[in-house]
Amino acid sequence: NSIVAIVGRPNVGKSTLFNRLVQRREAIVDSVSGVTRDRHYGKSDWNGKEFSVIDTGGYITGSDDIFEGEIRKQVNLAIDEADLIVFVVNVEDGITPMDAEVAKLLRKVKKPIFTVVNKVDNAMREPDAVEFYNLGLGEYHTIASINGSGTGDLLDALAEKMPEPEEVDLEKEELPRFAVVGRPNAGKSSFINALIGEDRNIVTNIAGTTRDSIDTKYNRFGFDFNLVDTAGIRKKSRVKEDLEFYSVMRAVRTIEYSDVIILVVDATRGFEGQDQNIFWLAEKNRKGVVILINKWDLVDKETNTMRDYEAMVRKQIEPFTDVPIVFISALTKQRLFKAIETAVEVFERRKFKIPTSKLNDALLEIVKSYPPPATKGKFVKIKYCMQLPTPTPQFAFFCNLPQYVRDPYRRFLENKLREMYDLSGVPITIYFRQK
Ligand code: GDP
């Protein structure tokens, strides 16, 4: 899974291009989760190649009044983390001093660079783009990201430079893969070390599935699993924001190859934006999730502290509120066993299967008592439902007018399923299909 980073100065059309590149896929994912939010990371695929796109502009603060230092930082992030770099310039402005600055940085880079001249929205403009040869980056692509023209050719060119998909045979791998992710200093390494540190011979380090992780084959408390450690690999002397970016990037790569995401949160900082980002990534990728509130030893506790804290976190992760939350201390080794046990439970629950007849017996009653509300005078009749033969629980409800079922009803059914069957921490997907 290649990472494509989009760089360029503000207002050249980076985010429009970003939306173009990820559009099709994202649209599907969003309609499933029913959630929209600002996105700087998205997934897509083209010609059979799956890839992630990052709008690096989204990670840069004050990007409307950007300083040279900021853009340098942005470009360096892209250089370090991405496999392919898309450099966006605007034909209306010609080469600005800042464009020249970016090009200078990019000329030294060995990775494939794609210079993209934006706002070439009619053929008359094509000749104007020629001046961008002077950037010294070779061939360029012209696009009009506003209407999408040129993006197909750009995607063709990008896909051509992407390696064939990594051969990760998840079917063959019987051991559950637990990814430990979280913000810098949340305590990921401490958690892993507390689990494996004292008795090194219970673990075998094996090559990470992706080059950003170290996998540790783990066998303890009677469980066998692979711990995927994203904290172990670090780059030195990074400023704080860069570290944030890296921790999200690591999570991006790792989450896809894992079964259960163990999200480590620093109790003294609360559940913040980046924690949420990682959480959404896990949900989007339909992974099991366990949230560990670490450093609980540092929190002054009164009678309801834990309960209140838990409620606060649940509020932040709506509507996925039944994810298990475990309060731990990697330092004092509190509830580490509980944490692993919970991850194993989530892993087992992801494999939940129910026969169609049983599912219908239980759900059709409910659907009869609480049918979907009429939308625009249309009455939806759900005839039957079934679980799809997918690795994680997905259900199809067959009805006459699937397009008239609204999100609240989808969530209602999801909640019913969660009430009836223990699916805490497990992503559920519900489809409505014509019958
Ligand atoms: P990582 O970046 O997520 O791998 O975080 P580290 O494991 O390096 O931990 C960051 C800092 O928090 C270190 O100074 C740890 O000693 C400290 N720390 C980690 N877990 C705990 C904990 O449960 N309690 C306390 N008091 N400190 C912790």
Side-chain angles (χ1 to χ4, degrees):
N1 184 344
S2 308
I3 293 187
V4 179
I6 306 177
V7 302
R9 62 191 169 79
N11 301 320
V12 285
K14 289 192 299 297
S15 50
T16 323
L17 177 62
F18 171 84
N19 288 331
R20 286 272 162 213
L21 295 182
V22 299
Q23 206 170 38
R24 299 166 315 131
R25 257 286 195 110
E26 289 292 285
I28 297 167
V29 176
D30 274 351
S31 75
V32 171
S33 67
V35 182
T36 43
R37 52 181 20 242
D38 275 353
R39 274 187 307 264
H40 309 305
Y41 156 81
K43 279 170 69 173
S44 194
D45 62 86
W46 190 260
N47 294 348
K49 308 267 177 78
E50 288 201 9
F51 58 93
S52 306
V53 187
I54 305 144
D55 175 5
T56 57
Y59 284 92
I60 302 296
T61 45
S63 47
D64 271 323
D65 175 24
I66 202 163
F67 301 109
E68 203 180 290
E70 286 286 296
I71 201 136
R72 191 180 294 274
K73 205 163 87 185
Q74 179 201 81
V75 173
N76 282 331
L77 283 174
I79 291 170
D80 282 352
E81 290 291 314
D83 303 302
L84 299 91
I85 298 169
V86 171
F87 171 32
V88 187
V89 291
N90 182 346
V91 76
E92 289 166 353
D93 302 336
I95 297 177
T96 69
M98 210 180 274
D99 290 337
E101 197 64 36
V102 174
K104 201 168 130 197
L105 289 171
L106 291 178
R107 280 200 298 270
K108 295 183 214 135
V109 178
K110 295 278 185 299
K111 298 179 177 181
I113 312 276
F114 297 80
T115 307
V116 171
V117 185
N118 192 20
K119 307 203 183 172
V120 183
D121 38 24
N122 62 57
M124 307 275 280
R125 277 269 166 78
E126 284 290 341
D128 297 341
V130 174
E131 82 159 290
F132 291 97
Y133 260 125
N134 297 330
L135 288 171
L137 293 166
E139 215 183 299
Y140 56 77
H141 297 260
T142 54
I143 62 163
S145 63
I146 200 75
N147 61 26
S149 84
T151 30
D153 289 344
L154 174 63
L155 278 161
D156 281 344
L158 288 168
E160 201 173 300
K161 289 280 184 200
M162 292 176 195
E164 293 304 319
E166 264 180 87
E167 297 256 340
V168 183
D169 195 346
L170 293 178
E171 295 298 314
K172 251 175 73 186
E173 173 73 80
E174 304 115 53
L175 290 185
R177 293 171 50 82
F178 298 164
V180 181
V181 298
R183 309 183 54 189
N185 292 317
K188 298 180 293 298
S189 320
S190 306
F191 172 67
I192 289 174
N193 287 337
L195 284 173
I196 65 180
E198 60 210 59
D199 191 3
R200 284 271 161 201
N201 59 21
I202 57 167
V203 303
T204 335
N205 278 319
I206 52 177
T209 319
T210 69
R211 64 183 158 87
D212 295 302
S213 62
I214 301 169
D215 293 12
T216 306
K217 206 162 168 179
Y218 185 94
N219 161 283
R220 195 131 176 248
F221 310 130
F223 303 128
D224 274 320
F225 53 87
N226 272 330
L227 263 187
V228 184
D229 174 8
T230 56
I233 301 169
R234 274 181 203 240
K235 291 186 175 129
K236 285 190 213 90
S237 68
R238 287 288 176 194
V239 292
K240 194 175 142 283
E241 306 88 84
D242 291 4
L243 269 177
E244 294 286 6
F245 179 88
Y246 287 122
S247 62
V248 176
M249 289 306 310
R250 295 281 129 77
V252 167
R253 290 218 203 223
T254 310
I255 283 172
E256 291 179 33
Y257 296 109
S258 305
D259 300 302
V260 177
I261 308 309
I262 298 179
L263 172 55
V264 183
V265 177
D266 183 339
T268 63
R269 300 193 54 164
F271 197 86
E272 296 179 306
Q274 293 292 14
D275 298 313
Q276 278 189 347
N277 283 339
I278 298 174
F279 181 80
W280 291 122
L281 278 176
E283 289 294 339
K284 267 190 192 179
N285 283 283
R286 294 201 184 97
K287 302 301 178 180
V289 179
V290 177
I291 296 176
L292 302 185
I293 306 297
N294 186 34
K295 309 196 190 180
W296 197 239
D297 57 296
L298 293 180
V299 174
D300 290 334
K301 291 166 212 69
E302 286 165 30
T303 323
N304 290 327
T305 311
M306 193 183 279
R307 201 197 61 189
D308 294 346
Y309 202 107
E310 184 175 328
M312 181 274 290
V313 175
R314 295 210 182 280
K315 189 102 195 85
Q316 304 282 330
I317 58 175
E318 273 173 355
F320 306 100
T321 48
D322 78 338
V323 169
I325 299 175
V326 185
F327 292 79
I328 67 158
S329 167
L331 189 76
T332 66
K333 302 201 163 62
Q334 259 193 307
R335 282 186 287 272
L336 302 186
F337 170 72
K338 177 80 188 156
I340 290 302
E341 190 187 41
T342 306
V344 172
E345 283 166 8
V346 170
F347 176 76
E348 292 301 328
R349 285 198 287 262
R350 273 180 98 224
K351 295 191 277 192
F352 171 86
K353 290 274 182 311
I354 182 163
T356 301
S357 60
K358 266 191 151 165
L359 185 71
N360 281 286
D361 284 350
L363 272 171
L364 289 186
E365 274 303 307
I366 294 170
V367 165
K368 224 170 111 189
S369 311
Y370 303 95
T375 312
K376 295 181 186 152
K378 304 281 187 190
F379 291 89
V380 181
K381 271 190 101 66
I382 293 175
K383 308 252 168 63
Y384 68 98
C385 52
M386 66 183 289
Q387 183 175 5
L388 303 174
T390 45
T392 60
Q394 300 187 25
F395 303 90
F397 285 77
F398 293 93
C399 53
N400 55 340
L401 298 162
Q403 67 274 31
Y404 287 99
V405 185
R406 293 283 170 262
D407 234 36
Y409 194 74
R410 185 197 306 275
R411 226 163 291 145
F412 164 77
L413 289 178
E414 176 172 339
N415 288 336
K416 283 292 166 203
L417 284 163
R418 290 190 184 280
E419 275 169 31
M420 288 190 297
Y421 312 104
D422 182 15
L423 292 164
S424 157
V426 176
I428 298 178
T429 314
I430 292 177
Y431 299 101
F432 296 96
R433 287 281 178 277
Q434 181 90 47
K435 190 70 193 179

